[in-house]
Amino acid sequence: MSTSKKTAIVLSGCGVFDGAEIHEATFTMYAVMKLGGTYDVYAPDIAQYHVINHLSGDVVPETRNVLVESARISRGKIQNISNLDMRYYDALMFPGGFGVAKNLSNLAFRGADCSVNSDVERVIRQAVTLKKPIGALCISPAMVSRVVTGAEVTVGQDEYTAQQITKMGGKHTNTNHGEVVIDKKFKLATTPCYMLEANILNIADGAMNVTEAVFSMIE
Amino acid sequence: MSTSKKTAIVLSGCGVFDGAEIHEATFTMYAVMKLGGTYDVYAPDIAQYHVINHLSGDVVPETRNVLVESARISRGKIQNISNLDMRYYDALMFPGGFGVAKNLSNLAFRGADCSVNSDVERVIRQAVTLKKPIGALCISPAMVSRVVTGAEVTVGQDEYTAQQITKMGGKHTNTNHGEVVIDKKFKLATTPCYMLEANILNIADGAMNVTEAVFSMIE
């Protein structure tokens, strides 16, 4: 294992229903540091697809920016993903949340026919080309499989999403809490987190396990 | 130690500069479950004092609601603090963030002369009366010391805040990362977290240590 574990973490807003899942993002940051790495946080400077009132579940007539809201999770320390160059990092990680499927891609609306934000797609391709491992939590593995054709991933046990992954040319393996699927060819490590009915302990385990797997693939 | 560790966690929004500090909130929830407890999350149904763009640091002309934004951290599972009755809980916990000093109180603007949200004041008083322990992280101990006259607390090493605590009749003890000050008389446990220059590992430690101290005082 390399001694350098410089990790780029990509967020998609702040809040499970319209942005990044906060616990998954927090425990990913924690796991990276706990395992001896460092992280920088990135997000795209784009409008959120929509804003959801997390108390009522209703869409509300507001506009929020993905980069600006993601900054809440990283305490203001964040950069525009257009500046992310994987040559300067050892690993790339995507926590989950609907923001991945609504802001970083349109997976939530178009399923297997989705497109991925051009910068997100660019950094995923760059990571694969440079053999830098990618970790993806929750729904993020489905987005990664849209970019990396033939990816072996898990999003837990959600049949519909598994079908979309298969349609995109990927291979889905069912998993339970904290389990990680490793794709050695593309250096991907994925884990279900809140794609399963989970509690916060499960999320901490999942984030730690997937980060360990990611770091084990750093050359 | 009691076998029941039913904990009420009070949030103050979502984001360090105008609401609850996200890492402190997340690791408090985690620590409660990790130590065998359960939690319910509460927040006041009031407007935030203001909204800060966490990327630029600027105040922006938006209105957000403390309960609605706090729901982002708890994934929608949250209740109005007006419904919080400490008879049904074993412990009360306050993560930090500027929201504590701007939304739950006006400590950020009035220092030792601050007032505290009436429901927040009510549940703190009820907890003390019922001998239910209170845990407070970051700036929250200063708010608690406004309600509980004579409280022995820590907010780390911030001189100005320590002076305000003294003015309010409290006693401040300087602490470092992860250290906890216990006030046995009022059953308070406090820890500095991001009131010190801290990283996310320090926050996890602080939240775990203060929660252990809180649980050790459950009768």
Side-chain angles (χ1 to χ4, degrees):
Chain A
M1 196 183 298
S2 163
T3 50
S4 175
K5 300 162 188 164
K6 205 174 167 209
T7 305
I9 299 175
V10 178
L11 299 184
S12 60
C14 179
V16 55
F17 300 131
D18 59 17
E21 209 295 315
I22 288 173
H23 306 166
E24 292 171 1
T26 299
F27 284 110
T28 299
M29 295 159 76
Y30 173 78
V32 167
M33 279 204 81
K34 187 72 177 176
L35 295 173
T38 59
Y39 60 81
D40 292 322
V41 180
Y42 290 87
D45 184 12
I46 57 173
Q48 293 186 188
Y49 174 78
H50 59 193
V51 179
I52 289 189
N53 175 318
H54 278 54
L55 181 62
S56 68
D58 297 331
V59 174
V60 291
E62 286 185 46
T63 306
R64 297 188 186 183
N65 177 288
V66 174
L67 179 61
V68 169
E69 297 307 317
S70 298
R72 292 179 174 272
I73 296 177
S74 64
R75 300 170 50 82
K77 256 190 107 179
I78 195 164
Q79 296 168 71
N80 189 329
I81 192 174
S82 66
N83 299 320
L84 174 51
D85 186 336
M86 285 305 300
R87 286 181 299 171
Y88 305 115
Y89 289 91
D90 302 298
L92 175 63
M93 293 194 73
F94 294 97
F98 275 101
V100 170
K102 294 174 175 178
N103 301 328
L104 302 191
S105 72
N106 52 18
L107 178 71
F109 314 109
R110 304 204 49 197
D113 297 321
C114 68
S115 58
V116 176
N117 172 279
S118 58
D119 274 311
V120 173
E121 182 170 347
R122 177 183 59 77
V123 298
I124 292 172
R125 289 195 190 284
Q126 192 187 19
V128 171
T129 300
L130 298 175
K131 301 189 189 306
K132 308 286 177 90
I134 300 174
L137 293 68
C138 187
I139 189 67
S140 298
M143 179 185 72
V144 171
S145 75
R146 184 72 184 90
V147 177
V148 184
T149 308
E152 296 190 24
V153 300
T154 186
V155 291
Q157 299 168 20
D158 186 75
E159 271 190 44
Y160 173 78
T161 308
Q163 284 168 2
Q164 305 310 304
I165 289 167
T166 305
K167 279 188 192 172
M168 292 187 280
K171 184 185 168 204
H172 183 268
T173 303
N174 278 2
T175 49
N176 214 325
H177 296 300
E179 294 179 356
V180 175
V181 165
I182 295 180
D183 179 323
K184 288 184 182 171
K185 181 179 173 193
F186 295 115
K187 295 199 172 200
L188 312 176
T190 55
T191 194
C193 284
Y194 279 123
M195 281 295 284
L196 297 172
E197 190 71 33
N199 66 38
I200 198 165
L201 301 183
N202 304 136
I203 304 315
D205 288 345
M208 187 59 73
N209 294 345
V210 78
T211 306
E212 275 177 353
V214 165
F215 283 1
S216 75
M217 292 188 283
I218 296 176
E219 283 178 3
Chain B
M1 197 185 293
S2 164
T3 50
S4 175
K5 300 161 186 166
K6 206 175 166 209
T7 305
I9 299 175
V10 178
L11 299 184
S12 60
C14 178
V16 55
F17 300 132
D18 59 17
E21 208 296 313
I22 287 172
H23 307 166
E24 293 173 0
T26 299
F27 283 110
T28 298
M29 295 159 75
Y30 174 78
V32 166
M33 278 204 82
K34 187 73 179 175
L35 297 171
T38 59
Y39 61 81
D40 293 322
V41 179
Y42 290 87
D45 183 13
I46 57 174
Q48 292 186 189
Y49 174 78
H50 59 194
V51 179
I52 291 190
N53 176 318
H54 278 55
L55 180 63
S56 68
D58 296 333
V59 174
V60 288
E62 285 184 47
T63 306
R64 296 188 186 183
N65 177 286
V66 175
L67 179 60
V68 169
E69 297 307 318
S70 297
R72 292 178 175 274
I73 297 177
S74 64
R75 299 168 52 81
K77 255 190 107 180
I78 195 164
Q79 296 169 71
N80 188 328
I81 193 174
S82 66
N83 298 320
L84 174 50
D85 186 336
M86 285 305 300
R87 285 181 299 171
Y88 305 115
Y89 289 91
D90 302 299
L92 175 63
M93 294 195 71
F94 294 97
F98 274 102
V100 170
K102 293 174 175 178
N103 300 328
L104 303 189
S105 72
N106 52 20
L107 179 71
F109 315 108
R110 305 203 51 196
D113 296 322
C114 70
S115 58
V116 176
N117 171 279
S118 58
D119 273 310
V120 173
E121 181 169 346
R122 175 183 60 77
V123 298
I124 292 173
R125 289 196 190 285
Q126 191 188 19
V128 171
T129 300
L130 297 176
K131 300 188 189 310
K132 308 285 175 90
I134 300 173
L137 292 68
C138 187
I139 188 67
S140 297
M143 178 184 73
V144 171
S145 76
R146 183 72 185 89
V147 178
V148 184
T149 308
E152 295 189 26
V153 299
T154 186
V155 292
Q157 299 168 22
D158 185 75
E159 271 191 44
Y160 172 78
T161 308
Q163 284 167 2
Q164 305 310 305
I165 289 168
T166 306
K167 279 188 193 173
M168 293 188 278
K171 184 186 168 203
H172 184 268
T173 304
N174 277 4
T175 48
N176 214 324
H177 295 302
E179 293 180 356
V180 176
V181 166
I182 294 179
D183 179 323
K184 288 185 182 171
K185 182 178 172 192
F186 295 115
K187 294 199 172 201
L188 312 176
T190 55
T191 195
C193 284
Y194 279 122
M195 282 294 285
L196 297 171
E197 190 71 33
N199 66 36
I200 199 165
L201 301 182
N202 305 137
I203 304 314
D205 288 345
M208 187 60 73
N209 294 345
V210 77
T211 306
E212 275 177 353
V214 165
F215 283 1
S216 75
M217 292 189 282
I218 296 176
E219 283 179 3

PDB file of all heavy atoms in Angstrom, chain B residues 19 36 39-40 44 57 72 85 90 106-107 123 142 150 152 156 159-160 163 175 205 218:
ATOM      1  N   GLY B  19     -25.938  27.281  11.158  1.00  0.00           N
ATOM      2  CA  GLY B  19     -26.764  26.209  11.706  1.00  0.00           C
ATOM      3  C   GLY B  19     -25.944  25.255  12.550  1.00  0.00           C
ATOM      4  O   GLY B  19     -24.944  25.634  13.147  1.00  0.00           O
ATOM      5  N   GLY B  36     -24.884   2.049  22.521  1.00  0.00           N
ATOM      6  CA  GLY B  36     -26.063   1.266  22.913  1.00  0.00           C
ATOM      7  C   GLY B  36     -27.312   2.080  23.170  1.00  0.00           C
ATOM      8  O   GLY B  36     -28.306   1.554  23.668  1.00  0.00           O
ATOM      9  N   TYR B  39     -31.718   7.537  19.656  1.00  0.00           N
ATOM     10  CA  TYR B  39     -31.903   8.992  19.664  1.00  0.00           C
ATOM     11  C   TYR B  39     -33.115   9.403  18.861  1.00  0.00           C
ATOM     12  O   TYR B  39     -33.518   8.730  17.919  1.00  0.00           O
ATOM     13  CB  TYR B  39     -30.652   9.705  19.135  1.00  0.00           C
ATOM     14  CG  TYR B  39     -30.285   9.360  17.715  1.00  0.00           C
ATOM     15  CD1 TYR B  39     -30.927   9.976  16.633  1.00  0.00           C
ATOM     16  CD2 TYR B  39     -29.294   8.434  17.439  1.00  0.00           C
ATOM     17  CE1 TYR B  39     -30.589   9.649  15.316  1.00  0.00           C
ATOM     18  CE2 TYR B  39     -28.952   8.103  16.141  1.00  0.00           C
ATOM     19  CZ  TYR B  39     -29.603   8.716  15.086  1.00  0.00           C
ATOM     20  OH  TYR B  39     -29.271   8.391  13.799  1.00  0.00           O
ATOM     21  N   ASP B  40     -33.693  10.518  19.271  1.00  0.00           N
ATOM     22  CA  ASP B  40     -34.645  11.274  18.473  1.00  0.00           C
ATOM     23  C   ASP B  40     -34.051  12.664  18.298  1.00  0.00           C
ATOM     24  O   ASP B  40     -33.391  13.178  19.198  1.00  0.00           O
ATOM     25  CB  ASP B  40     -36.004  11.380  19.175  1.00  0.00           C
ATOM     26  CG  ASP B  40     -36.703  10.029  19.273  1.00  0.00           C
ATOM     27  OD1 ASP B  40     -36.612   9.236  18.320  1.00  0.00           O
ATOM     28  OD2 ASP B  40     -37.338   9.777  20.309  1.00  0.00           O
ATOM     29  N   PRO B  44     -36.042  23.689  16.825  1.00  0.00           N
ATOM     30  CA  PRO B  44     -37.147  24.664  16.891  1.00  0.00           C
ATOM     31  C   PRO B  44     -37.681  25.010  15.499  1.00  0.00           C
ATOM     32  O   PRO B  44     -36.914  25.104  14.539  1.00  0.00           O
ATOM     33  CB  PRO B  44     -36.512  25.888  17.553  1.00  0.00           C
ATOM     34  CG  PRO B  44     -35.050  25.749  17.334  1.00  0.00           C
ATOM     35  CD  PRO B  44     -34.745  24.293  17.180  1.00  0.00           C
ATOM     36  N   GLY B  57     -18.744  32.734   2.417  1.00  0.00           N
ATOM     37  CA  GLY B  57     -18.833  33.311   3.756  1.00  0.00           C
ATOM     38  C   GLY B  57     -19.799  34.479   3.852  1.00  0.00           C
ATOM     39  O   GLY B  57     -19.989  35.042   4.936  1.00  0.00           O
ATOM     40  N   ARG B  72     -32.313  17.891   7.217  1.00  0.00           N
ATOM     41  CA  ARG B  72     -31.327  17.367   6.262  1.00  0.00           C
ATOM     42  C   ARG B  72     -30.340  16.436   6.967  1.00  0.00           C
ATOM     43  O   ARG B  72     -29.934  15.426   6.409  1.00  0.00           O
ATOM     44  CB  ARG B  72     -30.570  18.514   5.581  1.00  0.00           C
ATOM     45  CG  ARG B  72     -31.464  19.319   4.656  1.00  0.00           C
ATOM     46  CD  ARG B  72     -30.764  20.498   4.001  1.00  0.00           C
ATOM     47  NE  ARG B  72     -31.686  21.111   3.061  1.00  0.00           N
ATOM     48  CZ  ARG B  72     -31.847  20.716   1.792  1.00  0.00           C
ATOM     49  NH1 ARG B  72     -31.064  19.777   1.297  1.00  0.00           N
ATOM     50  NH2 ARG B  72     -32.746  21.283   1.027  1.00  0.00           N
ATOM     51  N   ASP B  85     -40.315  16.452  25.668  1.00  0.00           N
ATOM     52  CA  ASP B  85     -40.587  16.318  27.108  1.00  0.00           C
ATOM     53  C   ASP B  85     -39.514  15.397  27.679  1.00  0.00           C
ATOM     54  O   ASP B  85     -39.482  14.204  27.359  1.00  0.00           O
ATOM     55  CB  ASP B  85     -41.985  15.729  27.309  1.00  0.00           C
ATOM     56  CG  ASP B  85     -42.400  15.683  28.778  1.00  0.00           C
ATOM     57  OD1 ASP B  85     -41.502  15.659  29.654  1.00  0.00           O
ATOM     58  OD2 ASP B  85     -43.614  15.673  29.038  1.00  0.00           O
ATOM     59  N   ASP B  90     -33.604   9.885  28.607  1.00  0.00           N
ATOM     60  CA  ASP B  90     -32.580   9.686  29.630  1.00  0.00           C
ATOM     61  C   ASP B  90     -31.475  10.726  29.551  1.00  0.00           C
ATOM     62  O   ASP B  90     -30.716  10.897  30.504  1.00  0.00           O
ATOM     63  CB  ASP B  90     -31.962   8.288  29.469  1.00  0.00           C
ATOM     64  CG  ASP B  90     -33.015   7.202  29.575  1.00  0.00           C
ATOM     65  OD1 ASP B  90     -33.645   7.111  30.641  1.00  0.00           O
ATOM     66  OD2 ASP B  90     -33.222   6.495  28.583  1.00  0.00           O
ATOM     67  N   ASN B 106     -29.065  33.992  21.247  1.00  0.00           N
ATOM     68  CA  ASN B 106     -28.399  35.095  20.552  1.00  0.00           C
ATOM     69  C   ASN B 106     -27.007  35.358  21.143  1.00  0.00           C
ATOM     70  O   ASN B 106     -26.508  36.485  21.125  1.00  0.00           O
ATOM     71  CB  ASN B 106     -29.271  36.362  20.527  1.00  0.00           C
ATOM     72  CG  ASN B 106     -29.771  36.741  21.910  1.00  0.00           C
ATOM     73  OD1 ASN B 106     -29.192  36.298  22.922  1.00  0.00           O
ATOM     74  ND2 ASN B 106     -30.815  37.549  21.976  1.00  0.00           N
ATOM     75  N   LEU B 107     -26.405  34.291  21.621  1.00  0.00           N
ATOM     76  CA  LEU B 107     -25.069  34.338  22.222  1.00  0.00           C
ATOM     77  C   LEU B 107     -24.030  34.993  21.307  1.00  0.00           C
ATOM     78  O   LEU B 107     -23.150  35.717  21.773  1.00  0.00           O
ATOM     79  CB  LEU B 107     -24.636  32.902  22.543  1.00  0.00           C
ATOM     80  CG  LEU B 107     -23.267  32.676  23.158  1.00  0.00           C
ATOM     81  CD1 LEU B 107     -23.222  33.172  24.598  1.00  0.00           C
ATOM     82  CD2 LEU B 107     -22.907  31.189  23.128  1.00  0.00           C
ATOM     83  N   VAL B 123     -36.313  22.823  28.029  1.00  0.00           N
ATOM     84  CA  VAL B 123     -35.846  21.431  28.092  1.00  0.00           C
ATOM     85  C   VAL B 123     -34.549  21.304  28.881  1.00  0.00           C
ATOM     86  O   VAL B 123     -34.327  20.284  29.541  1.00  0.00           O
ATOM     87  CB  VAL B 123     -35.725  20.776  26.688  1.00  0.00           C
ATOM     88  CG1 VAL B 123     -37.086  20.736  26.002  1.00  0.00           C
ATOM     89  CG2 VAL B 123     -34.669  21.454  25.817  1.00  0.00           C
ATOM     90  N   ALA B 142     -21.603  27.113  26.348  1.00  0.00           N
ATOM     91  CA  ALA B 142     -21.824  28.515  26.757  1.00  0.00           C
ATOM     92  C   ALA B 142     -23.323  28.799  26.839  1.00  0.00           C
ATOM     93  O   ALA B 142     -23.788  29.476  27.768  1.00  0.00           O
ATOM     94  CB  ALA B 142     -21.146  29.465  25.771  1.00  0.00           C
ATOM     95  N   GLY B 150     -24.063  28.742  37.309  1.00  0.00           N
ATOM     96  CA  GLY B 150     -23.040  28.068  38.098  1.00  0.00           C
ATOM     97  C   GLY B 150     -22.478  26.821  37.426  1.00  0.00           C
ATOM     98  O   GLY B 150     -21.703  26.081  38.033  1.00  0.00           O
ATOM     99  N   GLU B 152     -20.276  24.271  35.419  1.00  0.00           N
ATOM    100  CA  GLU B 152     -18.852  24.105  35.123  1.00  0.00           C
ATOM    101  C   GLU B 152     -18.728  23.466  33.753  1.00  0.00           C
ATOM    102  O   GLU B 152     -19.157  22.322  33.554  1.00  0.00           O
ATOM    103  CB  GLU B 152     -18.179  23.201  36.165  1.00  0.00           C
ATOM    104  CG  GLU B 152     -18.186  23.817  37.556  1.00  0.00           C
ATOM    105  CD  GLU B 152     -17.332  23.030  38.543  1.00  0.00           C
ATOM    106  OE1 GLU B 152     -16.374  22.352  38.090  1.00  0.00           O
ATOM    107  OE2 GLU B 152     -17.611  23.098  39.740  1.00  0.00           O
ATOM    108  N   GLY B 156     -13.117  24.765  25.288  1.00  0.00           N
ATOM    109  CA  GLY B 156     -11.764  24.660  24.748  1.00  0.00           C
ATOM    110  C   GLY B 156     -10.856  25.714  25.320  1.00  0.00           C
ATOM    111  O   GLY B 156     -10.594  25.717  26.535  1.00  0.00           O
ATOM    112  N   GLU B 159     -10.710  32.537  24.804  1.00  0.00           N
ATOM    113  CA  GLU B 159     -10.726  33.434  25.983  1.00  0.00           C
ATOM    114  C   GLU B 159     -11.998  34.245  26.086  1.00  0.00           C
ATOM    115  O   GLU B 159     -12.565  34.410  27.168  1.00  0.00           O
ATOM    116  CB  GLU B 159      -9.526  34.389  25.935  1.00  0.00           C
ATOM    117  CG  GLU B 159      -8.315  33.805  26.618  1.00  0.00           C
ATOM    118  CD  GLU B 159      -7.223  34.853  26.814  1.00  0.00           C
ATOM    119  OE1 GLU B 159      -7.549  35.993  27.223  1.00  0.00           O
ATOM    120  OE2 GLU B 159      -6.056  34.535  26.533  1.00  0.00           O
ATOM    121  N   TYR B 160     -12.439  34.803  24.936  1.00  0.00           N
ATOM    122  CA  TYR B 160     -13.639  35.645  24.960  1.00  0.00           C
ATOM    123  C   TYR B 160     -14.847  34.860  25.456  1.00  0.00           C
ATOM    124  O   TYR B 160     -15.573  35.314  26.354  1.00  0.00           O
ATOM    125  CB  TYR B 160     -13.930  36.227  23.568  1.00  0.00           C
ATOM    126  CG  TYR B 160     -15.255  36.944  23.525  1.00  0.00           C
ATOM    127  CD1 TYR B 160     -15.392  38.231  24.044  1.00  0.00           C
ATOM    128  CD2 TYR B 160     -16.389  36.316  23.008  1.00  0.00           C
ATOM    129  CE1 TYR B 160     -16.625  38.879  24.030  1.00  0.00           C
ATOM    130  CE2 TYR B 160     -17.617  36.947  22.985  1.00  0.00           C
ATOM    131  CZ  TYR B 160     -17.721  38.229  23.507  1.00  0.00           C
ATOM    132  OH  TYR B 160     -18.945  38.864  23.497  1.00  0.00           O
ATOM    133  N   GLN B 163     -14.693  34.109  29.090  1.00  0.00           N
ATOM    134  CA  GLN B 163     -15.059  35.293  29.885  1.00  0.00           C
ATOM    135  C   GLN B 163     -16.575  35.451  29.969  1.00  0.00           C
ATOM    136  O   GLN B 163     -17.116  35.811  31.020  1.00  0.00           O
ATOM    137  CB  GLN B 163     -14.458  36.556  29.259  1.00  0.00           C
ATOM    138  CG  GLN B 163     -12.971  36.714  29.508  1.00  0.00           C
ATOM    139  CD  GLN B 163     -12.345  37.804  28.624  1.00  0.00           C
ATOM    140  OE1 GLN B 163     -13.055  38.466  27.846  1.00  0.00           O
ATOM    141  NE2 GLN B 163     -11.040  37.979  28.740  1.00  0.00           N
ATOM    142  N   THR B 175      -9.529  23.170  27.896  1.00  0.00           N
ATOM    143  CA  THR B 175      -9.335  21.769  27.523  1.00  0.00           C
ATOM    144  C   THR B 175      -8.735  21.687  26.136  1.00  0.00           C
ATOM    145  O   THR B 175      -8.734  22.655  25.379  1.00  0.00           O
ATOM    146  CB  THR B 175     -10.669  20.994  27.488  1.00  0.00           C
ATOM    147  OG1 THR B 175     -11.621  21.763  26.736  1.00  0.00           O
ATOM    148  CG2 THR B 175     -11.189  20.713  28.881  1.00  0.00           C
ATOM    149  N   ASP B 205     -13.718  11.819  18.232  1.00  0.00           N
ATOM    150  CA  ASP B 205     -13.279  11.521  19.600  1.00  0.00           C
ATOM    151  C   ASP B 205     -14.084  12.317  20.622  1.00  0.00           C
ATOM    152  O   ASP B 205     -14.552  11.781  21.625  1.00  0.00           O
ATOM    153  CB  ASP B 205     -11.790  11.888  19.778  1.00  0.00           C
ATOM    154  CG  ASP B 205     -10.872  10.925  19.060  1.00  0.00           C
ATOM    155  OD1 ASP B 205     -11.327   9.828  18.669  1.00  0.00           O
ATOM    156  OD2 ASP B 205      -9.686  11.273  18.886  1.00  0.00           O
ATOM    157  N   ILE B 218     -26.347   8.712  33.680  1.00  0.00           N
ATOM    158  CA  ILE B 218     -27.760   8.317  33.674  1.00  0.00           C
ATOM    159  C   ILE B 218     -28.028   7.474  34.911  1.00  0.00           C
ATOM    160  O   ILE B 218     -27.293   6.527  35.190  1.00  0.00           O
ATOM    161  CB  ILE B 218     -28.120   7.528  32.385  1.00  0.00           C
ATOM    162  CG1 ILE B 218     -27.953   8.427  31.151  1.00  0.00           C
ATOM    163  CG2 ILE B 218     -29.548   6.983  32.467  1.00  0.00           C
ATOM    164  CD1 ILE B 218     -28.195   7.710  29.825  1.00  0.00           C
TER     165      ILE B 218
END
